[in-house]
Amino acid sequence: MSGRPNVLRSVPTNGRGIRQMSTAMNALTPHLALLSSITIVVGAAMVRLGIGRGRLEARQPRRRCPSCARIVQGSVCQACSA
Ligand SMILES: [Zn+2]
């Protein structure tokens, strides 16, 4: 063996060489599920309230005219249809 430490031997194994998985932070606990649900509900309520009061507006997708590449505001390109 060389003098370098073997980093793979520092990983805990179960005696058969299989790495043990830590389950401490992997489980979905009831507290975490409740906190996630409340956060999502409050966020959705704030978005609905913002849209309802006119503080937020849905983003309009910008379309470009395929022939002149200008941004089309209405249903047709004003530069090409004139
Ligand atoms: Zn155009």
Side-chain angles (χ1 to χ4, degrees):
M1 297 285 279
S2 65
R4 288 175 25 197
N6 191 349
V7 294
L8 294 179
R9 287 192 186 273
S10 63
V11 176
T13 59
N14 60 358
R16 292 181 294 183
I18 300 173
R19 267 182 32 184
Q20 292 178 341
M21 299 288 286
S22 172
T23 58
M25 296 296 290
N26 292 338
L28 180 63
T29 62
H31 289 98
L32 187 59
L34 182 66
L35 183 65
S36 313
S37 305
I38 289 174
T39 303
I40 290 171
V41 167
V42 167
M46 288 176 73
V47 168
R48 289 185 58 125
L49 200 66
I51 290 175
R53 292 191 174 185
R55 297 289 183 185
L56 296 175
E57 62 182 27
R59 184 184 296 179
Q60 298 293 329
R62 294 196 312 179
R63 293 188 310 125
R64 286 196 174 270
C65 176
S67 65
C68 69
R70 290 192 178 104
I71 294 177
V72 179
Q73 298 288 340
S75 58
V76 296
C77 177
Q78 297 296 324
C80 292
S81 63

